[in-house]
Amino acid sequence: MKNWTWLTTITLITIILVAGAYYLEVFPTTKKEKLTVSTTTSLYDTGLLNVIEDTFEAKYPIDLQIISRGTGLAIKLAQDGDADMMLVHAPSKELPFLTQGYGVCRKIIAYNFFAIVGPETDPAEIQGLTTLEALTKIVEAGRKRQAMWISRGDESGTHAKEKELWRAANFTWEELRSETNWYVEARKGMGGTLILASERSAYTLTDMGTYLSHSTADLIALKVFISQEKELLNVYSAIAVNQTRHPHTNFNGAINFIKFLVSDEGQQLIGDYGKNEYGQPLFYPAVKLLQESNDPLANLIREYALFNGTECPAEYRYGHSELYD
Amino acid sequence: MNSEIIEIVLRSIYVSGTATFLSAMWSIPLGLTIGIKNFYGKRLVKGVFNAFLGMPTVVLGLVLFLLIRHAGPFGFLNLLFTPLAIIIGQALLITPIMISFTTSAVESIDLDIRDLAKTLGATEIQASLAVLKEAAGGTLLAFIASFNRAIAEMGIAYMVGGSIPGFTMVLTTAIALQRDMANIELGLTLAAILLSIVFAINLILNLIQKRRP
């Protein structure tokens, strides 16, 4: 018994030590500077950021550390200085982030459209309707217990968008929220919310990227009813953390990464991503488009995501006005 | 993809293995002391450690997160979202397991050994070491059970590790992430690896328990 015990002990210790040594050897903790990026889930879960990370790290001596947790938490982490920059999609939450002095150097990097998805059977009969009509129909059907709506319910960018949509359709979100027999808060990420909606045959609001990846993997059986409408516009921005407030943050790294994202190369990566796998891009580059003066889509983005006609008011540019030339 | 899987597996073993050894540094001496010594409130102390056996990992994860984030009291250590943060968290998580296992291993052997060693002129520490030697099987059991709990937990790794790809992503958080990324096959592969590790460890555990006198 004794020998056997010692043999096992030695074997176990050896396995752990060898694994540890090998791990440190093969995957050394890089001497490169770290850049912690807190991001909305849609950019990461679709795999886009993986591609961007590989290209970016090959060019710069920077180790990107990506934390993917939805816009609500992404903002919280950046606000507390636990991240160096953030990638988010909620203009209504981004403006206070700048004005309260937490963020600087905001740049719009990409856009796409949200989609209203639901069960094939379409119990609320929203096929062919506009966004706001469809939402009204869903509420009516919901109150008759004929349809269900699943909300992210997690203060994410998609959740913020959902609340804006209810307001635009003349509903009070707080009131809908109390009607728990048809309005359900998932309090999950987008993937989990879609799976829940699919299991319960319910409608929900989603970003196209997460919808396509889950649909292709056969994890959900939901159909897109409405997308590509101006109310469903979805704009992604990058914001660096204000170094005056959090001196320990890697501000220069953040600026480098933002510059890469808005460069021709970065924009091309964004625009090409998903074409092979899904037959359509998941995100559209926004930089060139915003330079067009009279494009209707560009005007829409300006109306939705600019603050007083600018991506980032001059006082929050932190000495990097070259980003806005 | 393959080197990514290997990286995650090795990181998991490294993180949880280091956590186990780290925890052993205080848990084994403590367990030994509680097992050998008779003192007022001994049952209470043992009861407390037993109660913490079922510590939910997310609760510990949340508390640690609040402590080590930049705005928290230990923010200056820059621990948040590093492997070391997970190691410390898991070491704390498994402390009650290690102490309970060590204590009962020590209590199950004949304490006369200690008195015998002492009559033969051994010091307190030498006598304790003699007891520990007798309880080797039980102590090993403590190690294995602790490692098992550490490598299978997710709450701490997620909360304080952040599951950063290439840095703090371990098996459990990787599996959860693959679901979110709709990579079911990769998720299943990682799940199979984690299960194999846990099963293999349990097998060893059972063998040891069977062979214990």
Side-chain angles (χ1 to χ4, degrees):
Chain A
M1 137 85 196
K2 274 274 174 62
N3 289 337
W4 198 87
T5 309
W6 286 114
L7 196 70
T8 323
T9 315
I10 289 162
T11 318
L12 276 180
I13 293 174
T14 315
I15 290 174
I16 290 171
L17 288 182
V18 168
Y22 185 70
Y23 166 73
L24 293 175
E25 176 79 18
V26 180
F27 307 101
T29 348
T30 43
K31 292 279 179 290
K32 295 194 289 186
E33 56 175 288
K34 290 199 297 184
L35 176 67
T36 310
V37 183
S38 65
T39 174
T40 157
T41 48
S42 46
L43 291 171
Y44 185 78
D45 290 358
T46 49
L48 171 67
L49 276 182
N50 268 333
V51 177
I52 292 179
E53 182 180 7
D54 290 347
T55 319
F56 179 74
E57 287 182 347
K59 289 192 115 176
Y60 292 85
I62 293 177
D63 182 17
L64 271 196
Q65 309 222 313
I66 297 164
I67 300 169
S68 155
R69 296 286 169 81
T71 294
L73 194 65
I75 291 177
K76 179 85 178 100
L77 288 174
Q79 196 165 329
D80 293 348
D82 291 322
D84 301 316
M85 62 171 289
M86 63 186 197
L87 301 172
V88 291
H89 62 143
S92 59
K93 295 186 174 195
E94 291 162 31
L95 182 60
F97 191 76
L98 296 180
T99 55
Q100 288 163 12
Y102 294 113
V104 291
C105 300
R106 172 180 185 260
K107 280 297 284 182
I108 291 175
I109 55 167
Y111 73 94
N112 63 9
F113 289 91
F114 287 103
I116 294 178
V117 298
E120 197 85 39
T121 50
D122 193 14
E125 297 171 346
I126 63 168
Q127 176 79 54
L129 300 183
T130 66
T131 310
L132 302 183
E133 288 168 357
L135 290 174
T136 312
K137 280 279 211 178
I138 290 172
V139 175
E140 282 168 9
R143 287 178 174 159
K144 284 186 243 158
R145 313 278 156 81
Q146 286 160 354
M148 269 180 83
W149 176 267
I150 310 279
S151 165
R152 281 282 289 274
D154 63 350
E155 294 305 320
S156 60
T158 310
H159 190 208
K161 183 74 181 188
E162 187 204 317
K163 289 193 245 176
E164 280 166 31
L165 287 173
W166 290 126
R167 208 174 307 129
N170 287 321
F171 291 103
T172 326
W173 167 71
E174 286 80 6
E175 202 180 303
L176 298 179
R177 195 181 173 206
S178 64
E179 299 171 24
T180 47
N181 44 31
W182 68 272
Y183 184 99
V184 177
E185 292 193 309
R187 296 193 187 276
K188 287 185 174 66
M190 197 65 250
T193 303
L194 279 169
I195 291 173
L196 180 60
S198 180
E199 297 297 317
R200 307 276 302 260
S201 292
Y203 294 93
T204 191
L205 179 74
T206 176
D207 66 281
M208 266 323 258
T210 315
Y211 169 79
L212 284 172
S213 64
H214 279 66
S215 200
T216 313
D218 266 338
L219 281 173
I220 51 170
L222 294 170
K223 186 183 160 190
V224 175
F225 288 106
I226 304 161
S227 186
Q228 311 275 337
E229 276 213 4
K230 69 170 197 235
E231 290 89 356
L232 297 177
L233 186 65
N234 185 18
V235 177
Y236 293 91
S237 316
I239 303 180
V241 168
N242 184 351
Q243 207 175 20
T244 313
R245 188 175 278 259
H246 293 295
H248 62 270
T249 53
N250 182 358
F251 179 68
N252 289 332
I255 292 297
N256 277 331
F257 189 49
I258 292 176
K259 281 185 177 164
F260 176 79
L261 288 171
V262 300
S263 70
D264 290 346
E265 190 184 9
Q267 289 285 294
Q268 173 127 28
L269 280 176
I270 292 173
D272 285 345
Y273 187 73
K275 275 185 185 166
N276 290 337
E277 208 172 333
Y278 307 111
Q280 55 172 298
L282 303 184
F283 304 93
Y284 302 96
V287 174
K288 281 258 159 59
L289 184 69
L290 281 173
Q291 286 159 1
E292 310 271 330
S293 53
N294 260 326
D295 185 274
L297 190 56
N299 285 332
L300 218 74
I301 296 178
R302 288 193 190 102
E303 194 183 309
Y304 173 63
L306 293 193
F307 310 136
N308 290 328
T310 169
E311 284 173 275
C312 183
E315 60 265 44
Y316 307 117
R317 291 179 184 176
Y318 216 80
H320 283 279
S321 48
E322 79 277 7
L323 281 167
Y324 305 94
D325 290 338
Chain B
M1 263 310 166
N2 240 339
S3 85
E4 206 182 320
I5 294 180
I6 295 171
E7 183 193 339
I8 294 171
V9 173
L10 290 178
R11 184 181 301 119
S12 287
I13 297 176
Y14 163 69
V15 164
S16 301
T18 313
T20 312
F21 282 107
L22 182 64
S23 182
M25 282 170 48
W26 57 74
S27 302
I28 302 275
L30 262 173
L32 206 59
T33 315
I34 297 172
I36 295 173
K37 290 248 193 301
N38 279 313
F39 54 89
Y40 183 73
K42 177 170 172 166
R43 280 182 58 174
L44 180 71
V45 171
K46 279 166 72 180
V48 167
F49 281 118
N50 278 330
F52 276 108
L53 280 177
M55 181 73 171
T57 59
V58 278
V59 175
L60 190 53
L62 179 66
V63 172
L64 284 171
F65 170 81
L66 293 174
L67 288 175
I68 65 174
R69 71 200 179 111
H70 275 291
F74 296 100
F76 63 93
L77 294 171
N78 273 325
L79 274 175
L80 190 62
F81 304 139
T82 62
L84 187 57
I86 313 179
I87 290 173
I88 294 171
Q90 290 185 344
L92 291 175
L93 173 76
I94 59 183
T95 295
I97 302 179
M98 247 191 208
I99 290 180
S100 292
F101 271 72
T102 314
T103 307
S104 53
V106 169
E107 282 174 345
S108 70
I109 60 160
D110 198 347
L111 282 183
D112 289 346
I113 292 175
R114 182 162 151 273
D115 299 332
L116 185 67
K118 271 188 156 173
T119 48
L120 293 172
T123 63
E124 189 77 16
I125 292 177
Q126 281 170 329
S128 298
L129 281 177
V131 174
L132 186 62
K133 213 171 154 190
E134 283 305 307
T139 314
L140 179 60
L141 208 67
F143 259 84
I144 294 174
S146 304
F147 179 76
N148 213 353
R149 168 103 158 124
I151 202 165
E153 78 81 28
M154 156 141 175
I156 294 165
Y158 185 76
M159 290 272 191
V160 302
S163 195
I164 297 168
F167 191 52
T168 55
M169 186 181 285
V170 292
L171 276 166
T172 47
T173 59
I175 292 168
L177 183 81
Q178 298 314 319
R179 210 290 309 267
D180 288 343
M181 293 179 74
N183 284 334
I184 296 307
E185 272 166 47
L186 183 56
L188 280 174
T189 310
L190 292 168
I193 294 171
L194 180 58
L195 268 185
S196 316
I197 295 175
V198 172
F199 281 170
I201 290 170
N202 270 307
L203 193 71
I204 300 173
L205 212 109
N206 280 331
L207 283 172
I208 295 174
Q209 271 175 329
K210 223 182 211 168
R211 281 164 183 255
R212 277 178 81 187

